[in-house]
Amino acid sequence: MDIVSALMDGLWIAVQPHNLALAVIGVIVGLFVGALPGLGSVNGVAILLPFTFVINEATSDPAAPMIFLAAIYYGAMYGGAISSITLGIPGASTAVATTFDGRPMALKGEADRALVTAAVASFIGGTVATLFFTGFAPMLSSVALDFGNPEIFALMLLAFATFIGLGGDDIPKTMFSIFFGLLLATIGFDTISGEPRLVFMNEREQTALLETFGGNTDAVPFFDSVSWFSRGIQFLVLAIGVYGIGEMLWTINASRYKVTMTETKISFSRIMRGIVGMKDCWKGTTIGSLLGFFVGILPAAGATPGSLMSYGVSKMTSRNPRSYGEGNPDGVAAPEAANNSASTGAMLPMMTLGIPGSPTTAVLLAGMVIWGLEPGPRLFEDRPEFVWPLIGSFYVSNLVAVIVNLAFIPLFLAVLRMPFTILAPVIFVLSIVGTYAAYDNMYDVWLMVLFGFGAYFLRVLDYPLAPAVLAVVLGATAEEKMRQSLLLSDGNFAIFWNPFFDRDGKGQEWWIAPVTTWIAVILIALPIILWGVRRMRGGAAAEARG
Amino acid sequence: MKLLKTLTLGAAALGMAVTATAASAFEPSKPIDFVIMAGKGGGADKMARLMQAIVEKNELAGKPLVPTNKSGGSGAEALQYMKGATDPDHTIMVTLNSFYTTPLRQPGLKVDNMAFAPVARMAEDTFVLWVHKDEGINTFDEFLAEVKKRGDKWVMGGTGKNSEDNIITDHLNEAYGLSIKYIPYKGGGAVAKDLAGKQIQSSVNNPSEALGFYESGDVVPIVAFTNDRLPMFPDTPTLKEEGGDFSYFMQRSVVGAPGMSAEAAAYYTELFREVYKSDEWQEYKSKKSLMGDFVSQLDLADYWEGQIENHRTILKASGAIK
C-alpha cells in the first residue's frame, strides 16, 4: 500500500463525524488545560486517559481514543502560548520560550498579534512535522536509534551554546545564572549512582536527629519535608516561581505610581492583519518547524529543548538580535512552531520504537498499551488501520486547533483588559494552584514562592533569569547523558569529540557526536573570537589614527 | 442544654452505627488514593493504569481509583507518603521490588515493609538476557565467550543503580568471572532503544520492554532468569538449564497503607482478585510474559519476608549495603 492512498484512507476515517467531534472536543479541552499554568498536557492526557475507554466502547474504532488524546495534546501545545503571552506565566515548560517575546508584545499592546502569530506558527510547525511524519516515519526512526548517549549529550551542548546569547550583554551574570540553574538541576536522586545529592540531610543525620527527639517524628518540625529535596527541583516550580511571582512583583514595583492597563484592541481585520503579518516571521517559523521536529524525534529530548533551541538559533541568525526579548514576533513564532513540530516529532519514537520522547507521549504510550496496541518497530506494518487514521487526525487536529484558537482570541484578550490591580492577585493565585496541581505537593508550592522572591531580587539586581530556567530543563538530561557516556569511555572525554574513539572494541567510527560537539564548541567560542577580532581591529584603527 | 445532649447522643449513636457497618463489611466512602511507586509511562505505571481501567470498565469498585505518581528517590517518596497517609483505609499503592530494596538501602526512611497491608500480588515480572542480532550470538556459551573476549568493552544497560537489572548483572559478573560494564538508565524503554541502536551490547529487560524489538528481529533472547522456559520464548533456555543457580523475579503487587484496617484490606484483596480474574488482565499477563499466581494476605506477607531476606543477601554480596 503506498503512502498517499494509505493517508487518504486515514484522512477519510479521521473526518468521520465521531472522530471529527472528538478532535474538536479534544482541542478545546487541551486549549484550556494548556492555558492554565501547571495543568499542562501531561496532566490533561493523564486525567482523561480512563475516559478513552468509554470512547473505545462507544465507537469500536481503534483509532478514536488516540485521536481524542492526540487532539488534547495538540490543543495544549497551542494553549501553552496563551498564558505565556497574556499572563507572562508559561502554561507548560514547552511554552517558556514563548514568554521571552510574547509577554513584551502584550505589554506593548500587541497581544492580539502575538496570539495570532503563536497560533499560525503552531499550525505551520505542526503541519510541517506531520508531513515529515507521513513521508519518512520508518526512516526517521532509525535516525533516532543512531542517537546514543554521547550524541544526545552533544546535542545538549549545542542547546546550551544557542542560549549563551539569551542573557544579554553581561556575560558574568549570564554565567552565574546558567551555573545556578545547573546546580539546581543536580538536586535529588542521582540516576547514575543512586545516591541523594544536595538534599541537605543524609540518612545518618536524619536518623541522628530523630534519635535526639526520641524517635518522635512529630517533634521535629518539617521532618517529613526532609524528603522535599530528594524529589529534585521540579521544572515548573522554578518557572512559575520566576515568572508568576518574581516577574509579577517586579512589575508591581515598576508600576507603583501608575496603574497600568494593557491596551487591547481586537477586531476581525486586526486578526487578518496579524495573519498577513506572518510573512515577516517566515524565518523563525521555518527554523522552529525544522529544528523542533528534529529535536522532537530524539527520545529524551522532547518539545522543551526543541522550542528553546529554535528561539536561540532564530535570535543568533537574526539581523537584529537585540530586538529579541523586546517583543519581536519572530521570537514568538520560532518557539511556537518548534513546540508543535516537536510534539508531533515526539510521537514518532513513541510509535515506531515504543520509546516516549516526552512525558506526555509516555502517558499516550501507556494508553496505547491499554487499548491492546503494541507500539514498536512493527506497529506500522501490523496495525495500519490504527496508524493511518491517527496520522490523518494530526492534519485534522492541527486545522481544528488553529481555527478554534483564532476564534477564542477575543476571550483570551479579555484577560488583559482586567486592571492590573485585579490581574496581579489572580496571577498569584493561579501560580499557587498551578504548582499544586502539577505535583500534588505543598512543599513544591512553598519552594515556588521562595524561588519567586529570590527571582525578584535577582531581577532587581539585573541578573538574567531565563538562562537559569533553561539550565534546569536541560541540565539533568545533559548530566545523565554525559556521565553515561563517560562510563562507556572509562572517563575519556574523547568519546565526544573524536570520531575514531573506539567505543565497543570493534574499531567503528562514530561521526554524529563529534560533529555536533564541534559545532557547539565553535558556537560558544564565536562571540569570544569576534570580540577579540573587533578589539584587535579597533586597536589597529586606533593606532592608525594615532 | 437538652438540645446539646440530644445532639451528643445522636452523634454517639451515629458513630456506633458507622463502626458497626465498618466491622461487618468495608465499602470505600470516598475516592481511593491509588499511588504508583514509579514515574508516568514506566512499566509499573502502565500496569497501574490498566488495573484502574479494568476496575472502571467493569465497575468493580463503588468509588473511583485516583492514580498519583510518586516516583521520587527510587520509591522513597511513595513509601514516605504511604507512611504518612491520613486515611489508610483509602490509600493503596502499586509496587515493585524497590518496595524492599529502597528501605534496605535507606534505613533512615524507617520504613517497615511488614507494616503495609498485603493486599494482592498481581504477577511476577520476568527477566531475559538480550543481545543485538548483529552480534551473531545465539547461545549462552557464545555469549560468555564473546563477553570474555571483549572485556570491559561489553556494556550492559539497565534501569537504575542497585536495581533489579543491576542485581542480575552483578550476578553474571560474579558467577562467570566477567567484567561487564553496567550503565544505569532512567527507564527500561530507553535501554531497549539503545540496545536496538547498538549503543550498548546487552540488556536484561523485562519481556514487556524488549518485545517490540524482539518482534522486529533486532534483538535476540539468550537466557531467561526464570525457573521454567517462558511460553513466549520456547527456544530460549533458562539460566538454570545452562548450569547456573539463579533466578530473579519482580513483584507486581498492590499494598495498603500502614494502619489499614483488616476489613479494608480484605475489601481490596477481593477487588484485585476480580481484576486478576478479568480477561483483560489475563491477556496482558500472557502477552507480556508475566508469571506468578494471585497471592494475598498472609501468603503475601510470607512471600515478602522471604524476598526481604533474599534481597538483603544479594545487596550485601554486591556491597550496596553493609
Side-chain angles (χ1 to χ4, degrees):
Chain A
M1 187 162 48
D2 80 309
I3 289 175
V4 178
S5 70
L7 179 64
M8 284 304 142
D9 289 349
L11 273 173
W12 177 244
I13 296 176
V15 295
Q16 293 302 306
H18 67 273
N19 285 336
L20 198 59
L22 283 173
V24 174
I25 298 169
V27 163
I28 295 175
V29 169
L31 205 57
F32 284 93
V33 162
L36 286 170
L39 219 57
S41 61
V42 186
N43 300 57
V45 172
I47 292 165
L48 289 165
L49 190 58
F51 182 62
T52 58
F53 261 86
V54 185
I55 300 175
N56 205 359
E57 294 274 288
T59 59
S60 69
D61 178 348
M66 190 67 186
I67 287 175
F68 179 62
L69 288 187
I72 298 175
Y73 186 31
Y74 271 126
M77 284 294 154
Y78 280 81
I82 293 161
S83 52
S84 291
I85 292 167
T86 56
L87 302 177
I89 325 174
S93 65
T94 47
V96 172
T98 314
T99 50
F100 299 162
D101 277 283
R103 182 67 181 155
M105 281 182 83
L107 292 176
K108 283 198 291 187
E110 291 178 359
D112 57 329
R113 180 154 185 222
L115 287 169
V116 171
T117 306
V120 178
S122 295
F123 172 71
I124 296 173
T127 306
V128 167
T130 310
L131 285 170
F132 278 122
F133 197 117
T134 315
F136 310 104
M139 205 186 82
L140 286 167
S141 68
S142 72
V143 172
L145 282 185
D146 285 336
F147 270 72
N149 299 322
E151 285 78 15
I152 302 268
F153 173 72
L155 192 77
M156 292 289 144
L157 201 63
L158 193 61
F160 277 106
T162 57
F163 61 75
I164 279 281
L166 281 187
D169 298 328
D170 197 332
I171 302 286
K173 279 183 175 169
T174 307
M175 297 301 269
F176 170 85
S177 189
I178 290 183
F179 287 122
F180 186 64
L182 288 176
L183 182 73
L184 291 180
T186 60
I187 294 174
F189 275 84
D190 173 25
T191 318
I192 310 293
S193 69
E195 294 297 320
R197 295 187 302 192
L198 301 177
V199 293
F200 293 96
M201 204 182 279
N202 62 30
E203 296 152 29
R204 205 158 10 93
E205 286 162 349
Q206 203 178 323
T207 320
L209 180 75
L210 204 57
E211 271 162 19
T212 354
F213 287 92
N216 180 6
T217 39
D218 297 330
V220 190
F222 294 112
F223 182 79
D224 285 337
S225 61
V226 169
S227 56
W228 280 25
F229 287 104
S230 68
R231 310 176 58 236
I233 303 296
Q234 308 294 319
F235 164 75
L236 271 180
V237 173
L238 182 71
I240 295 183
V242 166
Y243 293 103
I245 306 284
E247 280 291 306
M248 215 34 65
L249 287 175
W250 191 82
T251 316
I252 291 172
N253 189 32
S255 60
R256 209 155 8 145
Y257 301 106
K258 51 182 195 296
V259 178
T260 42
M261 277 250 302
T262 321
E263 192 194 348
T264 50
K265 293 194 203 79
I266 188 71
S267 66
F268 185 70
S269 65
R270 274 181 77 101
I271 289 184
M272 285 318 286
R273 229 181 303 149
I275 295 174
V276 172
M278 276 305 290
K279 68 175 185 296
D280 300 333
C281 305
W282 66 270
K283 205 162 140 193
T285 312
T286 315
I287 291 172
S289 305
L290 300 179
L291 194 61
F293 181 72
F294 180 69
V295 176
I297 63 170
L298 302 173
T304 310
S307 68
L308 295 170
M309 282 174 81
S310 303
Y311 181 86
V313 170
S314 175
K315 181 179 175 180
M316 266 194 310
T317 56
S318 167
R319 285 182 183 199
N320 195 4
R322 275 170 197 279
S323 65
Y324 278 74
E326 307 286 326
N328 185 331
D330 241 4
V332 174
E336 275 307 306
N339 66 27
N340 269 57
S341 180
S343 47
T344 306
M347 296 274 209
L348 201 138
M350 179 197 75
M351 284 167 66
T352 59
L353 304 175
I355 319 288
S358 68
T360 314
T361 48
V363 182
L364 291 178
L365 183 72
M368 290 174 69
V369 173
I370 294 173
W371 308 314
L373 293 155
E374 187 60 61
R378 296 190 54 81
L379 184 71
F380 272 65
E381 285 163 49
D382 291 352
R383 302 296 295 267
E385 85 285 5
F386 167 79
V387 172
W388 291 104
L390 180 62
I391 294 178
S393 87
F394 291 171
Y395 290 94
V396 177
S397 298
N398 252 310
L399 194 63
V400 170
V402 74
I403 294 168
V404 169
N405 202 337
L406 290 175
F408 274 104
I409 282 178
L411 178 72
F412 297 130
L413 282 176
V415 171
L416 281 173
R417 283 206 198 96
M418 269 191 253
F420 193 67
T421 42
I422 295 175
L423 192 57
V426 168
I427 291 175
F428 287 138
V429 170
L430 276 179
S431 299
I432 289 169
V433 173
T435 312
Y436 188 81
Y439 303 113
D440 305 312
N441 198 324
M442 262 328 271
Y443 306 140
D444 284 324
V445 175
W446 290 117
L447 205 58
M448 184 275 295
V449 173
L450 197 72
F451 278 137
F453 281 96
Y456 168 69
F457 287 109
L458 288 175
R459 182 82 162 81
V460 169
L461 297 171
D462 212 21
Y463 279 87
L465 291 166
V469 175
L470 309 184
V472 168
V473 183
L474 302 181
T477 313
E479 191 212 336
E480 184 189 327
K481 294 296 162 194
M482 183 179 89
R483 290 178 57 200
Q484 283 171 339
S485 311
L486 290 177
L487 277 175
L488 207 66
S489 70
D490 285 319
N492 192 338
F493 279 89
I495 194 168
F496 299 119
W497 57 263
N498 184 354
F500 305 107
F501 182 83
D502 191 8
R503 281 191 206 172
D504 51 4
K506 287 197 288 194
Q508 220 175 321
E509 290 169 24
W510 306 78
W511 283 96
I512 301 174
V515 169
T516 318
T517 308
W518 282 112
I519 297 175
V521 169
I522 292 167
L523 282 181
I524 294 171
L526 207 59
I528 302 169
I529 296 170
L530 283 179
W531 178 77
V533 167
R534 225 177 292 132
R535 222 183 123 109
M536 287 211 349
R537 270 201 204 142
E543 265 170 45
R545 266 200 305 274
Chain B
M1 204 55 201
K2 202 181 164 199
L3 181 72
L4 191 70
K5 206 172 167 186
T6 324
L7 275 178
T8 327
L9 275 176
L14 197 69
M16 272 164 70
V18 169
T19 359
T21 44
S24 57
F26 172 84
E27 271 291 325
S29 54
K30 59 175 211 182
I32 302 153
D33 197 357
F34 192 40
V35 180
I36 303 165
M37 200 176 173
K40 282 171 186 153
D45 184 54
K46 279 184 210 166
M47 200 167 296
R49 285 174 198 279
L50 177 66
M51 291 177 193
Q52 181 209 3
I54 293 172
V55 169
E56 253 164 55
K57 198 172 159 191
N58 303 316
E59 291 165 18
L60 298 177
K63 298 283 173 191
L65 299 175
V66 183
T68 355
N69 294 77
K70 303 268 177 200
S71 59
S74 311
E77 185 197 352
L79 291 166
Q80 286 284 46
Y81 178 83
M82 292 297 281
K83 240 175 80 179
T86 44
D87 186 358
D89 279 2
H90 292 91
T91 314
I92 55 176
M93 173 169 80
V94 173
T95 188
L96 36 147
N97 281 8
S98 45
F99 182 59
Y100 333 112
T101 51
T102 300
L104 280 171
R105 287 174 49 219
Q106 289 180 267
L109 291 175
K110 303 256 174 213
V111 169
D112 175 14
N113 288 144
M114 305 318 286
F116 286 77
V119 169
R121 189 191 74 186
M122 303 297 287
E124 279 191 308
D125 214 336
T126 53
F127 293 87
V128 173
L129 175 66
W130 306 90
V131 297
H132 196 277
K133 70 165 191 304
D134 290 357
E135 298 286 354
I137 295 171
N138 290 305
T139 67
F140 189 57
D141 286 334
E142 286 172 17
F143 171 80
L144 289 177
E146 185 66 24
V147 174
K148 279 198 179 125
K149 202 173 87 194
R150 299 264 276 278
D152 66 352
K153 289 277 182 199
W154 189 275
V155 175
M156 175 85 79
T159 313
K161 181 82 177 170
N162 294 328
S163 61
E164 296 83 1
D165 295 9
N166 205 164
I167 286 169
I168 297 174
T169 312
D170 285 346
H171 173 79
L172 288 176
N173 276 340
E174 210 172 308
Y176 298 95
L178 308 174
S179 45
I180 298 174
K181 203 186 279 175
Y182 179 80
I183 297 190
Y185 281 74
K186 261 194 188 140
V191 176
K193 175 233 144 202
D194 266 11
L195 181 61
K198 291 191 269 185
Q199 306 286 343
I200 53 175
Q201 279 71 50
S202 58
S203 79
V204 285
N205 272 148
N206 299 131
S208 64
E209 294 163 334
L211 216 49
F213 294 108
Y214 164 72
E215 282 170 355
S216 66
D218 287 306
V219 300
V220 185
I222 301 297
V223 283
F225 300 94
T226 47
N227 295 322
D228 301 299
R229 289 192 180 199
L230 290 167
M232 190 176 260
F233 312 104
D235 301 327
T236 305
T238 64
L239 188 66
K240 289 190 168 168
E241 285 175 57
E242 296 288 334
D245 179 27
F246 181 80
S247 60
Y248 193 75
F249 300 94
M250 173 154 65
Q251 70 162 347
R252 299 288 192 187
S253 295
V254 179
V255 303
M260 178 182 272
S261 67
E263 293 78 20
Y267 170 83
Y268 292 115
T269 297
E270 287 318 306
L271 172 64
F272 282 94
R273 194 192 300 279
E274 289 303 312
V275 174
Y276 182 85
K277 283 197 280 190
S278 70
D279 294 341
E280 291 94 342
W281 184 257
Q282 288 303 325
E283 192 193 332
Y284 184 83
K285 228 183 123 203
S286 66
K287 261 171 75 179
K288 303 288 174 180
S289 263
L290 296 170
M291 305 185 83
D293 298 326
F294 185 80
V295 178
S296 66
Q297 300 290 340
L298 288 177
D299 294 337
L300 183 54
D302 285 346
Y303 169 79
W304 286 349
E305 273 179 345
Q307 287 287 312
I308 293 168
E309 277 321 302
N310 193 7
H311 280 91
R312 200 191 302 279
T313 320
I314 294 172
L315 289 176
K316 266 186 188 160
S318 71
I321 58 168
K322 283 184 216 68

